Amino acid sequence: MGLSLSNPLVFFFFILALFAFFSLAFQSDELLVDDDEFGLEGGIQFQLEHAFGDSDFFTAGTFTARLKTWNHGGQTLTKLRFSRNAFSAEEKEKFSRLLQGDDFYRIRLPSNVLSPPGRDFVVSSVKARCLPRDALDEHIVINTDGVNILGVNYGAPGACPYPRQLKLPSKWSFNSHTILKNTEQAPRAPIFTEDILGGEGGEGETVPPPERSFWAKYWMYLIPLGLIVMNAITQAMNLPEEQAAGQAQQPTAVQRGAPPSAVRRR
Amino acid sequence: MAMAIRVSLLLLLTLFQPIFSLYEDQVGLMDWHQQYIGKVKHAVFHTQKATRKRVVVSTEENVIASLDLRHGEIFWRHVLGSNDAVDGIDIALGKYVITLSSGGSILRAWNLPDGHLVWESFLQGSKTSKSSLSLPTNLKVDKDNLILVFGKGSLHAVSSIDGEVVWKKDFSDESIEVQQVIRPSDSEVIYAVGSVGSSQFEAYAINARNGELLKKNGAAFPGGFSGDMLLVSDDLVVALDATKSNLVTINFHDGIKFQQTHLSNFVGDSFGTAVLLPLKLQEMFAVEINGFVLFIRATGKGNLEVVDKVNNAAVVSDPLLLSEGQTAFALIHYGDGKIHLRVKLVLDWNNDLLKESVALDHQRGFIQRVFINSYIRTDRSNGFRALVVMEDHSLLLLQQGAIVWSREDGLASIVDVATSELPVEKDGVSVAKVEENLFEWLKGHLLKLKGTLMLASPEDVAAIQGMRLKNSEKSKMTRDHNGFRKLIVVLTRAGKLFALHTGDGRVVWSLLLPSLRNSACKHPTGLSIYQWQVPHHHALDENPSVLIVGRCGQSSDAPGVLSFVDTYTGKEISSSSLTHSIIQVIPLQLTDSTEQRLHLLIDVNRHAYLYPRTPEAISIFQHEFSNIYWYSVDADKGIIKGYALKSNSGEVLDEYSFDSRDLWSVVFPSDSEKIIATAARKLNEVVHTQAKIIADHDIMYKYISKNLLFVATVAPKASGEIGTATPEESWLVVYLIDTITGRILHRVTHHGSQGPVHAVFSENWVIYHYFNLRAHRYEMSVIEIYDESRAANKDVWKLVLGKHNLTSPISSYSRTEVVTKSQSYFFTHSVKAISVTSTAKGITSKQLLIGTIADQVLAVDKRFLDPRRSFNPTQAEKEEGIIPLTDSLPIIPQSYVTHALRVEGLRGMVAVPAKLESTTLVFVYGVDLFYTRIAPSRTYDSLTEDFNYALLLITIVALVAAICVTWVLSEKKDLRDKWR
């Protein structure tokens, strides 16, 4: 039943899958040219530099990106790629020393990719012990605004629990994950022009009454009063019940008994 | 049974009814309000032919006030805007107070008795210049007294009746910089004198009736002038030459004649810098030189002779016209705990009209200004009263050798606020006190009983109200169980500390900080207060103390001053003048064995210094050495930087100072973004729950980090006032930045919006207020931050088996996975300050405290700023307390914390938790002070103060009696039944 082609939805997906299969099967022989790699228009490069502890910065890798120019004149970076230089022996040793001392591994990027370094470098740092897993894992989020780099979030792609354990990487190569991040648009304030009156009505509900209510003032007296009243009612209800029961059994006796008791009380 | 359910339902309803407001009779029970005016800079007395003698003053807080000369109370008061500084005041026609403000461009007349604005004139001018206000007597045009105003490079004659500009003479085309405007008495000519460039003197003669230029004289003085020119008499001006070593007298009536006198004629050959004192003494002037004030009389044709030489601590008043041709002035100085006042005639230097010494009860520092007024004594001689402005900005009225009244107007300029606990109550109270109190107590409760049973007469009601207000319980000098009684320690701009009691707002002690007044310290400024020692637990015998950080000088690289003050006694325990500057103070989360908090001070060179400087502190500090980070925001450059400490190496001053290292930086593009606001969480804030259970029984973990910084930037074009930029060229970008790693966790752009931005950061949310140019309205946005990395802990089995990461420490170096929820709402008011309530355990829901433009404080429930509000909340969401979405935030008149009062010139709000979880203490300061305590979720953990215990007792007694009676009755009934 479930796979029956009579169900139009399933049929539709089946057709879609068929097309997908065919499109997968088709292989274009067109040569895909990557603009950036051929240094075509809009290609741009900037350096990632690193430092071990408080040392100076050295080139550590190269970012390549495409500069896309929009109709309104704005420019944004797209198609970011990163090639990391392998650690030299000296750098390995320096890095090991950072790991030993739980020190900082620092990186920096220019704050403007067109005229590096721009006003200043954008610096980020991480405790070196956060990076090694099997290899060295790094996660780089570059916050951009057009051709400007505001800040860079640099660190391990996962958790880096404290206290940090000393662990040497088995492979001295970097697994780099890079992300370009631009600003988001804020959600607009909701505008209910037609509902403004209704909204005010809603506000009206929350307006507390100007006077303290009767209950708020006298609840401490009213509750005992209520209890007394309830007590009285239950008593009153019990009485007739008793009487009713008594009447059912000895209707005459009570009637007879009542006048003498009244007499007795006198 | 049904009845019982109904009763409990009703009870529940009354409990959940949101009541924020006070009742009329509760005003003043737990709040107080104090009115101040600030440091007085001008004063005009109005005593003749007046039934209520008063003095009209203007202050450095831009306040104009009329004070009762008998008691010092405020008759009326106006707080002008913060950019509307008063340049001069005077009284016209005997009924108007004339004020000139905003650099000589706004002239206003206020009705003297009640302070109503009579008229207001905007005087046009093209350039900024000195401004002066003068009300010449008997300069009449059509029965109208003219007011002469010089400001913005123009001379205006303004009618004092309606503020019309009668004539105007513009000097902006001429290059003259007018120094003085003179109208010799009974003359029809006004002279405007000044300099062109540095050496040309010019005098303009102007017709006083129509402003026509009659004559213009000018002459070059080869020596050049420096500083201001001073008017000595109707035709004589005195100035210093460019070298500041010659006095130049300039006679300008008939042609211009210069005459030079070398200062060495008066003081000998060696002298320091000379300064002409801006006094208005007739035919006399004063020069301050070598720490002395020389009084020099100009006789005849510019001949000078020294009359007297006094210490420069002496302050001179403006001259006061006693009778025709007789002017008097006051010379006053402070010494040996006394104010020494002398009143002299200008023409008769050797005799004192009045000489008296007034003892001061406590430290108020030196005298800064004096204003005198005369009256006729019973023996027909002249008496004088003096209004004295002291170094601590307090105002005193002296008369007959005594202080008639004093005002602590330093409290109008609070710089920083801290709170302190009061001493713990000692056991053992005398019996006599109890006995006396017992009768009072009974009487009080009888009155209250009457009040509740509506039997009280109006006098009784007044007595009850008075009793509640005077409740001695609340102004005791000991700690209370609920933590309502505290000391508010405030630092004023004058460098004085005040301790205010939260019960009634009285000043418990005050201290003009001696370390800031050190002679080695020029231009001392108090910066901030920090809690230095808050003893609890094991150090209870220590008194708590605060740290006051100050600076010797205006620039940020001036050396710092630290002062430690005991908050019980108000005495300075110790102080130190530092060799380094202070640009940042970081209170650490570490305390030593005496509960002294460790502080890290950062200087301009980014060196860190540890205080207190004890071996114990350093050993505690070393443990956390590698976990100490801080950041700096450079709004001018648009760079935020993060730092950590560098272990001591290389150039080390001593073991308490450390180098810093740059860890991260965020660089905002200068062409598109400019930092206008930052906000961070309060360090001492307590968060009760880390998770939030949302309607569908799902859990969201709050991202609670003390190391988050909210930053708002705007387009540089739109950083001016609202209306200077179009919506297209203005945007507001907000950031959430982790201050340990410098990672930007969240970033969002509001197009078409601009500042000013006011923000508050608390728990896992930030709320900010800005202007939306497209909607032409103010908006408030909320961002709530939730932690995704802990979202996997929802599985109960994981919790049971311990496979969760809830107890592992959170590290900033882990990759943060946060989700944010945000929403914007319109808000009617513009905002002066924004703050949030805080409670002892963080359980009570929060309210935003918004200081509105009308100088009131509005409490808005955080629930209204919930990003999860939706147009049509589901039943489950409604149960959770989510309010249906509206486009604007409601302003409920009853939720004004300040009820009917205004905290004029509101600048800041401080919320301090009380010991009682439901309650927050709120202190609001500006020109006025206001204190109250609020309960954002109502006082669910205590009975209200007006709860009538006596009636409760009576009810219980009545119930017991009723039980007895019914018991007896039922016994009788049983007996009867048995007899049957």
Side-chain angles (χ1 to χ4, degrees):
Chain A
M1 173 67 196
L3 274 174
S4 157
L5 290 188
S6 60
N7 187 328
L9 204 70
V10 174
F11 181 73
F12 175 75
F13 277 116
F14 179 73
I15 296 293
L16 211 70
L18 269 178
F19 271 105
F21 178 73
F22 281 122
S23 60
L24 269 180
F26 173 73
Q27 292 233 319
S28 168
D29 59 351
E30 186 187 344
L31 177 66
L32 288 169
V33 179
D34 197 314
D35 299 345
D36 303 344
E37 278 171 19
F38 287 83
L40 282 182
E41 186 195 11
I44 205 159
Q45 284 195 339
F46 53 96
Q47 305 290 326
L48 174 87
E49 294 177 311
H50 66 177
F52 303 91
D54 297 320
S55 79
D56 291 335
F57 283 94
F58 301 101
T59 306
T62 310
F63 282 98
T64 35
R66 252 193 85 175
L67 200 60
K68 190 170 180 182
T69 308
W70 297 93
N71 295 335
H72 55 74
Q75 288 179 310
T76 49
L77 291 174
T78 53
K79 291 194 179 168
L80 185 76
R81 287 178 188 193
F82 180 49
S83 69
R84 189 69 141 109
N85 303 350
F87 267 171
S88 67
E90 188 196 356
E91 286 172 329
K92 273 181 198 168
E93 196 224 338
K94 276 182 179 169
F95 197 83
S96 310
R97 222 178 298 143
L98 289 187
L99 291 176
Q100 297 289 346
D102 193 18
D103 210 345
F104 290 103
Y105 176 65
R106 300 196 291 158
I107 59 142
R108 72 177 188 189
L109 288 171
S111 65
N112 187 308
V113 295
L114 288 184
S115 55
R119 283 201 302 141
D120 203 344
F121 283 101
V122 169
V123 186
S124 186
S125 47
V126 70
K127 288 276 184 182
R129 286 187 184 180
C130 290
L131 296 179
R133 296 230 145 58
D134 287 335
L136 295 163
D137 288 1
E138 60 180 0
H139 184 84
I140 308 173
V141 182
I142 302 175
N143 293 284
T144 61
D145 175 39
V147 296
N148 294 305
I149 296 177
L150 299 168
V152 52
N153 303 2
Y154 182 75
C160 179
Y162 185 84
R164 293 174 282 272
Q165 304 299 328
L166 173 62
K167 185 189 171 197
L168 286 171
S170 47
K171 267 198 306 189
W172 284 95
S173 65
F174 271 100
N175 291 328
S176 307
H177 310 268
T178 54
I179 295 173
L180 270 181
K181 221 174 178 181
N182 228 312
T183 181
E184 289 168 30
Q185 292 284 336
R188 288 243 180 118
I191 301 179
F192 316 129
T193 31
E194 70 275 26
D195 290 319
I196 278 174
L197 284 174
E200 276 174 1
E203 287 159 23
E205 280 170 26
T206 58
V207 175
E211 281 265 333
R212 232 184 326 187
S213 74
F214 184 72
W215 270 107
K217 270 183 183 167
Y218 301 112
W219 62 271
M220 61 288 237
Y221 314 116
L222 289 173
I223 290 168
L225 195 78
L227 287 173
I228 292 169
V229 168
M230 264 164 36
N231 206 10
I233 287 172
T234 41
Q235 270 193 346
M237 276 164 75
N238 281 346
L239 262 176
E241 263 172 38
E242 272 175 29
Q243 280 180 348
Q247 274 172 353
Q249 286 163 2
Q250 295 177 314
T252 46
V254 176
Q255 273 172 347
R256 251 181 253 148
S261 71
V263 172
R264 215 179 295 150
R265 212 179 279 159
R266 278 177 220 143
Chain B
M1 189 60 202
M3 182 71 177
I5 290 171
R6 209 164 295 162
V7 168
S8 57
L9 261 178
L10 269 170
L11 257 176
L12 274 176
L13 271 178
T14 52
L15 279 179
F16 288 109
Q17 212 169 49
I19 298 177
F20 311 107
S21 50
L22 288 176
Y23 301 98
E24 202 181 340
D25 62 341
Q26 288 177 321
V27 168
L29 267 189
M30 48 194 186
D31 59 315
W32 46 262
H33 180 230
Q34 293 176 354
Q35 295 187 316
Y36 294 101
I37 52 176
K39 184 184 181 184
V40 169
K41 59 179 180 184
H42 307 110
V44 185
F45 291 88
H46 185 251
T47 50
Q48 272 148 18
K49 296 179 219 154
T51 46
R52 297 168 102 183
K53 297 194 190 315
R54 64 187 83 214
V55 57
V56 180
V57 295
S58 75
T59 72
E60 292 184 355
E61 300 294 324
N62 303 343
V63 176
I64 305 158
S66 165
L67 303 178
D68 183 351
L69 211 47
R70 285 267 172 276
H71 310 287
E73 284 154 9
I74 298 171
F75 280 138
W76 54 261
R77 178 180 65 152
H78 292 287
V79 182
L80 307 182
S82 58
N83 49 6
D84 196 10
V86 183
D87 303 312
I89 60 170
D90 213 331
I91 292 177
L93 306 174
K95 59 180 181 180
Y96 294 158
V97 178
I98 307 291
T99 63
L100 180 68
S101 59
S102 282
S105 59
I106 304 177
L107 191 68
R108 296 188 182 96
W110 314 86
N111 194 14
L112 186 57
D114 54 13
H116 290 170
L117 184 65
V118 183
W119 51 256
E120 183 176 45
S121 290
F122 294 91
L123 307 176
Q124 306 297 328
S126 46
K127 64 171 188 181
T128 52
S129 69
K130 283 179 78 170
S131 55
S132 66
L133 169 73
S134 62
L135 272 74
T137 45
N138 58 49
L139 173 57
K140 289 200 173 164
V141 174
D142 303 335
K143 295 181 192 166
D144 188 357
N145 271 358
L146 287 189
I147 301 168
L148 290 179
V149 178
F150 184 78
K152 297 264 177 199
S154 308
L155 180 65
H156 303 261
V158 182
S159 152
S160 57
I161 290 173
D162 53 9
E164 288 287 323
V165 176
V166 178
W167 54 260
K168 176 184 172 185
K169 171 77 185 121
D170 196 349
F171 291 101
S172 57
D173 297 338
E174 338 271 338
S175 47
I176 181 174
E177 191 183 323
V178 175
Q179 298 267 7
Q180 296 283 347
V181 176
I182 316 119
R183 176 177 168 266
S185 47
D186 299 331
S187 143
E188 295 284 293
V189 185
I190 297 168
Y191 293 95
V193 299
S195 55
V196 177
S198 63
S199 61
Q200 172 86 7
F201 177 84
E202 290 200 342
Y204 288 73
I206 295 157
N207 187 332
R209 301 222 166 267
N210 51 25
E212 268 173 33
L213 182 64
L214 299 174
K215 204 165 56 173
K216 177 181 163 185
N217 282 333
F221 177 69
F225 302 110
S226 72
D228 288 348
M229 292 176 177
L230 205 63
L231 190 72
V232 178
S233 65
D234 287 348
D235 55 357
L236 203 64
V237 171
V238 71
L240 281 167
D241 77 344
T243 60
K244 293 199 175 185
S245 54
N246 282 302
L247 282 171
V248 187
T249 51
I250 308 152
N251 196 314
F252 58 86
H253 250 210
D254 311 306
I256 294 168
K257 293 181 215 100
F258 299 108
Q259 190 163 351
Q260 285 190 65
T261 315
H262 204 263
L263 276 170
S264 59
N265 292 357
F266 306 127
V267 286
D269 281 336
S270 65
F271 53 85
T273 331
V275 180
L276 276 178
L277 296 182
L279 302 175
K280 295 173 191 155
L281 299 178
Q282 280 293 302
E283 309 195 345
M284 199 150 50
F285 60 94
V287 184
E288 188 181 334
I289 190 165
N290 287 358
F292 286 95
V293 177
L294 289 181
F295 288 91
I296 299 169
R297 192 188 302 280
T299 51
K301 298 268 175 266
N303 297 323
L304 304 179
E305 59 170 347
V306 174
V307 179
D308 203 357
K309 182 175 169 183
V310 297
N311 192 308
N312 70 349
V315 177
V316 185
S317 76
D318 280 347
L320 174 76
L321 189 70
L322 285 182
S323 58
E324 201 54 49
Q326 269 202 322
T327 46
F329 70 99
L331 203 67
I332 192 165
H333 73 275
Y334 175 81
D336 313 326
K338 283 180 176 173
I339 295 176
H340 304 282
L341 172 71
R342 280 184 294 165
V343 179
K344 291 172 187 287
L345 285 179
V346 173
L347 295 173
D348 181 10
W349 189 269
N350 297 321
N351 293 322
D352 291 335
L353 284 179
L354 178 83
K355 185 172 183 179
E356 52 194 31
S357 295
V358 185
L360 276 184
D361 45 353
H362 54 270
Q363 182 64 269
R364 294 180 184 277
F366 295 114
I367 295 162
Q368 297 204 327
R369 284 185 194 117
V370 62
F371 306 92
I372 55 163
N373 173 239
S374 70
Y375 60 93
I376 307 294
R377 290 208 190 104
T378 43
D379 62 354
R380 300 269 162 206
S381 63
N382 275 317
F384 294 93
R385 52 172 83 92
L387 192 69
V388 183
V389 182
M390 305 296 291
E391 191 183 352
D392 65 350
H393 299 184
S394 61
L395 189 65
L396 311 175
L397 185 78
L398 310 181
Q399 188 177 330
Q400 291 155 262
I403 299 171
V404 184
W405 49 260
S406 64
R407 293 180 56 88
E408 288 288 1
D409 276 306
L411 284 170
S413 49
I414 289 177
V415 177
D416 202 3
V417 181
T419 53
S420 163
E421 295 290 343
L422 284 161
V424 182
E425 193 159 13
K426 300 276 189 301
D427 291 334
V429 188
S430 71
V431 181
K433 212 174 169 186
V434 175
E435 274 181 352
E436 184 204 13
N437 283 350
L438 194 70
F439 180 66
E440 289 289 310
W441 184 85
L442 273 177
K443 214 168 81 178
H445 274 284
L446 200 73
L447 268 176
K448 272 190 192 169
L449 184 70
K450 270 172 133 183
T452 317
L453 298 178
M454 316 219 173
L455 297 170
S457 62
E459 296 95 77
D460 288 346
V461 172
I464 294 168
Q465 188 70 6
M467 227 164 48
R468 292 165 97 185
L469 289 177
K470 255 199 316 229
N471 188 359
S472 61
E473 191 71 12
K474 72 174 187 182
S475 52
K476 262 191 192 169
M477 276 304 294
T478 52
R479 226 173 268 192
D480 65 332
H481 182 67
N482 289 334
F484 293 163
R485 291 201 295 265
K486 278 182 200 297
L487 286 180
I488 303 173
V489 183
V490 298
L491 176 67
T492 66
R493 204 183 304 140
K496 194 173 188 180
L497 270 188
F498 290 90
L500 307 171
H501 195 289
T502 55
D504 49 6
R506 71 178 189 276
V507 176
V508 177
W509 52 259
S510 62
L511 174 72
L512 194 58
L513 285 172
S515 53
L516 277 180
R517 304 177 62 236
N518 197 327
S519 59
C521 189
K522 290 270 162 64
H523 307 292
T525 41
L527 294 177
S528 44
I529 313 183
Y530 297 89
Q531 302 279 2
W532 181 251
Q533 197 177 13
V534 186
H536 56 287
H537 304 317
H538 53 276
L540 259 183
D541 49 331
E542 303 266 344
N543 287 2
S545 55
V546 288
L547 162 69
I548 293 99
V549 176
R551 185 188 282 160
C552 285
Q554 305 292 335
S555 67
S556 62
D557 57 349
V561 185
L562 299 184
S563 171
F564 305 92
V565 177
D566 184 328
T567 60
Y568 286 176
T569 60
K571 299 277 183 295
E572 191 171 55
I573 305 165
S574 65
S575 69
S576 52
S577 293
L578 307 182
T579 50
H580 58 84
S581 58
I582 303 171
I583 54 164
Q584 215 172 341
V585 180
I586 305 165
L588 301 175
Q589 299 287 33
L590 311 167
T591 53
D592 68 5
S593 58
T594 56
E595 304 255 344
Q596 288 188 357
R597 188 163 294 280
L598 270 57
H599 284 68
L600 210 56
L601 270 56
I602 315 290
D603 74 356
V604 261
N605 303 319
R606 303 279 168 213
H607 288 296
Y609 302 85
L610 179 71
Y611 288 86
R613 295 165 78 89
T614 56
E616 189 198 352
I618 202 99
S619 69
I620 297 168
F621 184 67
Q622 287 296 354
H623 283 290
E624 293 293 323
F625 187 82
S626 62
N627 289 335
I628 286 164
Y629 300 85
W630 74 94
Y631 65 93
S632 69
V633 180
D634 189 338
D636 297 330
K637 285 190 191 155
I639 295 180
I640 301 178
K641 279 189 170 177
Y643 308 91
L645 291 171
K646 195 195 269 184
S647 26
N648 276 341
S649 63
E651 31 128 18
V652 190
L653 299 165
D654 58 40
E655 54 179 327
Y656 301 105
S657 65
F658 306 92
D659 265 349
S660 66
R661 63 207 306 198
D662 289 15
L663 281 192
W664 55 266
S665 62
V666 173
V667 182
F668 296 104
S670 54
D671 53 337
S672 62
E673 290 182 42
K674 184 177 185 298
I675 300 173
I676 57 161
T678 58
R681 273 183 66 193
K682 263 196 232 163
L683 284 174
N684 54 0
E685 193 187 50
V686 186
V687 179
H688 186 252
T689 46
Q690 301 217 355
K692 189 171 184 177
I693 300 165
I694 54 176
D696 50 356
H697 302 288
D698 205 355
I699 280 185
M700 294 183 80
Y701 286 93
K702 296 176 184 173
Y703 185 77
I704 298 163
S705 166
K706 295 216 164 158
N707 305 312
L708 270 187
L709 177 70
F710 166 87
V711 181
T713 66
V714 290
K717 256 190 184 176
S719 60
E721 284 189 15
I722 293 164
T724 51
T726 61
E728 286 70 35
E729 60 192 18
S730 51
W731 53 84
L732 170 78
V733 193
V734 301
Y735 297 85
L736 292 172
I737 297 174
D738 185 296
T739 57
I740 303 291
T741 60
R743 294 177 188 168
I744 298 174
L745 301 185
H746 184 63
R747 173 179 169 201
V748 69
T749 308
H750 296 265
H751 282 288
S753 296
Q754 72 168 95
V757 172
H758 296 273
V760 62
F761 204 141
S762 173
E763 290 199 2
N764 65 327
W765 49 262
V766 58
I767 287 172
Y768 50 101
H769 177 271
Y770 54 94
F771 191 78
N772 184 336
L773 286 164
R774 290 223 165 86
H776 311 289
R777 282 202 259 186
Y778 284 99
E779 257 179 30
M780 274 173 108
S781 284
V782 57
I783 301 176
E784 284 189 3
I785 314 137
Y786 292 97
D787 195 349
E788 278 289 278
S789 61
R790 306 204 294 166
N793 296 320
K794 287 169 197 164
D795 195 343
V796 180
W797 284 112
K798 274 191 176 174
L799 282 175
V800 172
L801 298 172
K803 282 186 180 173
H804 58 87
N805 59 358
L806 287 178
T807 49
S808 62
I810 296 167
S811 168
S812 279
Y813 288 109
S814 298
R815 187 176 154 205
T816 44
E817 300 162 60
V818 294
V819 283
T820 55
K821 291 181 174 288
S822 58
Q823 180 71 269
S824 303
Y825 301 95
F826 292 122
F827 187 70
T828 316
H829 288 303
S830 64
V831 160
K832 280 189 167 177
I834 185 164
S835 180
V836 67
T837 59
S838 70
T839 53
K841 302 267 187 288
I843 300 169
T844 311
S845 61
K846 303 239 171 196
Q847 277 185 341
L848 283 183
L849 300 173
I850 298 169
T852 66
I853 196 74
D855 293 322
Q856 293 204 306
V857 178
L858 180 72
V860 176
D861 255 13
K862 167 69 179 58
R863 288 193 305 145
F864 287 108
L865 279 145
D866 192 327
R868 299 196 300 120
R869 279 175 69 181
S870 58
F871 190 54
N872 232 340
T874 62
Q875 193 56 38
E877 281 176 333
K878 270 184 192 160
E879 275 169 22
E880 191 198 330
I882 286 189
I883 303 162
L885 185 64
T886 50
D887 58 350
S888 55
L889 295 173
I891 292 169
I892 303 160
Q894 286 93 334
S895 59
Y896 278 104
V897 170
T898 45
H899 43 89
L901 302 170
R902 289 181 62 173
V903 187
E904 296 279 3
L906 188 146
R907 282 200 312 273
M909 291 170 289
V910 181
V912 187
K915 230 186 260 172
L916 196 66
E917 168 55 30
S918 63
T919 313
T920 305
L921 313 178
V922 179
F923 178 63
V924 188
Y925 61 92
V927 173
D928 289 355
L929 308 183
F930 178 78
Y931 165 87
T932 191
R933 55 169 197 261
I934 57 173
S937 305
R938 308 219 291 146
T939 48
Y940 55 82
D941 50 2
S942 72
L943 292 168
T944 53
E945 223 171 48
D946 57 340
F947 183 82
N948 209 327
Y949 293 94
L951 262 178
L952 184 68
L953 267 177
I954 290 167
T955 316
I956 291 168
V957 169
L959 275 175
V960 170
I963 287 167
C964 292
V965 170
T966 45
W967 181 72
V968 170
L969 285 178
S970 83
E971 284 288 291
K972 274 189 179 170
K973 185 171 167 286
D974 278 357
L975 194 66
R976 208 166 55 212
D977 285 352
K978 282 183 183 154
W979 269 106
R980 198 174 293 144

